[in-house]
Amino acid sequence: MKIAIIKYNAGNVKSVEIALERLGVSSLLTDTAEEILSADRVIFPGVGEASSAMRYLKERSLDQVIRGVKQPFLGICLGMQLMCQYSEENNTDCLGIFSEEVKKFNPDVIQLKSPQIGWNNIFDLTSPIFAGVAENSYGYFVHGYYAHLGMHTIAKAAYGMNYSAALSRDNFYGVQFHPEKSAEVGSKIIQNFLDL
Amino acid sequence: MLTKRIIPCLDIKDGRTVKGTNFVNLRDAGDPVELAGLYAEQGADELVFLDITATNEKRKTLASLVNRIAHAINIPFTVGGGIASVEDVRVLLDAGADKISVNTAAFKRPDLINELAAAFGSQCIVLAIDAKQHDDGDWYVYLNGGTVSTSAKCTDWAIEGVKRGAGEILLTSMDHDGSKNGFAVDITNKVSSALSVPVIASGGGGTPEHFFEILSQRADAALAASIFHFKEIAIPDLKAFLRKRQIPVR
């Protein structure tokens, strides 16, 4: 199986590459349309800031490439947020794969620290990528922005309110938490994605 | 619900785990990769590795150790010790570290924090602060593994560090480190209340009650070393104890 990890200017993709190696599969870090479109699975990781990441993708026409992917596609953390319609982070128009929007945690409203860092429950799991994953399992989250609940929500998390822990539409999946760092639960989710 | 984190810390010297008391008297505590795998399996929420002999010639050895650790565990881990530049961090992140911690170099040149946050994002920058209470009752920053005192107040430096882009604070009380007499509750509460980012309490955890005491207040996570290395408290037992007392743990 050929797995492409999209290479762009958002953060640390090494953890994803190594998580795949732990599952016994190798991957290719790439930013070329040909390699992305010919892969069996595409992973779109990312940590960092939305507007500079979107600008980088657009400059290289990777936004068009991503929208055109037909194989199972998984966005992680910022990757998932960039797949949404819009992000409040520097008023960024994103890829629009999911109609949901990304908002900033308001510490005054939620009375909690932001960014959220650590292990939180994922629940109301409704997707094959959560096959064999128990309700209220823990995922590892690091984020100051969140996607609200919407028609594409396939998992929820609660931090002051309920929000989307994962989204999906057709072949596209996005998870807010880091499956590559979420112990056995995370490995199971990645394996499910590879098995789709 | 977001849980409170239990974080075993591994001090690394020449590729081995070591542990001392009040920053001195080092004892061998095993192979770091083996220990890391064991802790991850037992339910540790995160791991911290501090290379206490970090020098330039040893950096490559550290990167290869970090790479072995990354392949062995599936939970987040932080690497620190002698980090002084964007390039130092790049090498460790490329080896598979999730976060890095900075201490002395950041205090001496605070712009380092801005540079690292700009290059890699705040989420992977942990500002480690070693602090000691002075006779005036206030807590002050110490450098170089606790050997050099400064006139900077711990809370002020934490606030400045976060403004510059640190995503978490690792606060070690040198007065409590290695004592197993409990964490420094007051300064941890003070620093945590002043900040929007998580604070990891470190130094003094010796019994499950100590973890309950610190985690039932403002600390977001608690870090300890020797009690885990020398198997005085098993992580599953510690978590069961905390869960029974309504502390949210994974």
Side-chain angles (χ1 to χ4, degrees):
Chain A
M1 178 179 283
K2 192 177 152 198
I3 301 166
I5 300 176
I6 297 178
K7 182 176 160 187
Y8 67 123
N9 64 334
N12 187 6
V13 297
K14 201 68 194 179
S15 301
V16 174
E17 206 178 311
I18 293 175
L20 291 168
E21 283 175 27
R22 285 196 303 265
L23 292 172
V25 291
S26 58
S27 57
L28 177 70
L29 188 60
T30 177
D31 59 0
T32 72
E34 195 182 37
E35 284 178 325
I36 292 168
L37 294 172
S38 68
D40 302 301
R41 296 289 181 277
V42 180
I43 299 182
F44 183 42
V47 289
E49 192 274 319
S51 70
S52 56
M54 270 314 296
R55 197 177 320 118
Y56 184 98
L57 293 174
K58 281 183 179 164
E59 280 166 9
R60 288 158 184 77
S61 301
L62 284 169
D63 55 333
Q64 296 300 334
V65 173
I66 290 170
R67 288 192 194 98
V69 171
K70 298 283 182 263
Q71 322 86 310
F73 182 103
L74 178 65
I76 297 173
C77 196
L78 178 67
M80 183 209 83
Q81 296 186 357
L82 295 177
M83 292 162 77
C84 291
Q85 192 67 41
Y86 166 84
S87 173
E88 280 185 4
E89 191 171 19
N90 294 316
N91 294 317
T92 305
D93 286 323
C94 300
L95 294 164
I97 292 165
F98 306 129
S99 50
E100 286 75 7
E101 296 191 345
V102 176
K103 298 169 188 296
K104 192 180 192 343
F105 281 130
N106 182 339
D108 296 332
V109 173
I110 62 176
Q111 294 288 306
L112 294 164
K113 289 185 174 182
S114 180
Q116 171 179 225
I117 300 183
W119 298 82
N120 201 342
N121 306 94
I122 54 173
F123 56 93
D124 290 353
L125 311 174
T126 56
S127 164
I129 67 164
F130 299 118
V133 175
E135 281 289 322
N136 291 310
S137 291
Y138 288 97
Y140 184 80
F141 290 83
V142 182
H143 62 127
Y145 291 78
Y146 68 95
H148 62 72
L149 296 178
M151 63 182 294
H152 300 107
T153 302
I154 52 167
K156 297 173 189 166
Y159 195 61
M161 82 212 98
N162 289 355
Y163 66 94
S164 294
L167 297 161
S168 91
R169 200 197 92 194
D170 308 328
N171 58 315
F172 290 99
Y173 298 82
V175 288
Q176 179 61 66
F177 54 96
H178 288 271
E180 75 279 16
K181 285 289 150 184
S182 295
E184 300 311 318
V185 167
S187 301
K188 178 74 185 158
I189 293 167
I190 296 173
Q191 188 63 56
N192 286 341
F193 171 72
L194 299 178
D195 292 344
L196 281 173
Chain B
M1 168 171 211
L2 182 67
T3 59
K4 302 270 184 167
R5 287 171 283 157
I6 301 295
I7 308 179
C9 175
L10 290 80
D11 287 344
I12 307 292
K13 186 172 188 281
D14 303 328
R16 297 285 292 177
T17 315
V18 293
K19 184 58 197 168
T21 306
N22 295 93
F23 287 50
V24 292
N25 298 326
L26 300 175
R27 284 200 280 165
D28 188 279
D31 172 35
V33 180
E34 210 172 284
L35 267 178
L38 178 70
Y39 291 146
E41 210 170 282
Q42 289 184 337
D45 295 305
E46 222 169 298
L47 297 174
V48 169
F49 298 85
L50 291 178
D51 186 13
I52 59 173
T53 52
T55 54
N56 283 331
E57 60 269 27
K58 289 197 178 126
R59 190 90 50 204
K60 273 187 190 152
T61 324
L62 179 62
S64 91
L65 176 64
V66 165
N67 195 254
R68 284 169 57 217
I69 292 164
H71 282 88
I73 64 171
N74 51 16
I75 58 170
F77 69 101
T78 301
V79 180
I83 291 168
S85 71
V86 167
E87 192 44 40
D88 289 345
V89 173
R90 196 181 306 279
V91 168
L92 294 172
L93 294 181
D94 281 348
D98 300 295
K99 310 180 196 179
I100 58 86
S101 76
V102 288
N103 190 330
T104 302
F107 186 87
K108 289 188 171 159
R109 196 175 67 79
D111 281 347
L112 175 63
I113 301 175
N114 306 64
E115 292 164 16
L116 296 178
F120 309 108
S122 290
Q123 81 293 330
C124 69
I125 315 300
V126 179
L127 176 61
I129 303 177
D130 297 329
K132 201 172 178 153
Q133 192 171 27
H134 284 185
D135 292 340
D136 65 0
D138 229 319
W139 289 76
Y140 291 84
V141 177
Y142 276 67
L143 304 176
N144 296 89
T147 57
V148 176
S149 67
T150 75
S151 59
K153 287 184 182 173
C154 169
T155 311
D156 295 345
W157 172 226
I159 291 169
E160 185 185 341
V162 171
K163 262 187 205 148
R164 288 176 175 274
E168 276 179 281
I169 299 291
L170 168 55
L171 178 62
T172 301
S173 162
M174 294 172 54
D175 296 330
H176 296 71
D177 190 59
S179 74
K180 297 183 187 170
N181 288 328
F183 292 93
V185 175
D186 292 347
I187 186 63
T188 305
N189 283 343
K190 191 176 165 194
V191 170
S192 186
S193 304
L195 299 177
S196 60
V197 305
V199 173
I200 304 162
S202 156
T207 67
E209 285 80 5
H210 294 152
F211 285 82
F212 172 73
E213 183 185 33
I214 195 79
L215 293 174
S216 62
Q217 300 186 50
R218 303 303 295 261
D220 298 284
L223 176 146
S226 55
I227 58 150
F228 297 131
H229 304 334
F230 299 117
K231 302 186 173 61
E232 291 161 33
I233 303 176
I235 295 166
D237 298 341
L238 173 59
K239 287 198 161 179
F241 177 92
L242 294 170
R243 203 172 288 122
K244 217 167 137 190
R245 284 157 188 78
Q246 315 302 322
I247 302 290
V249 289
R250 180 171 68 105

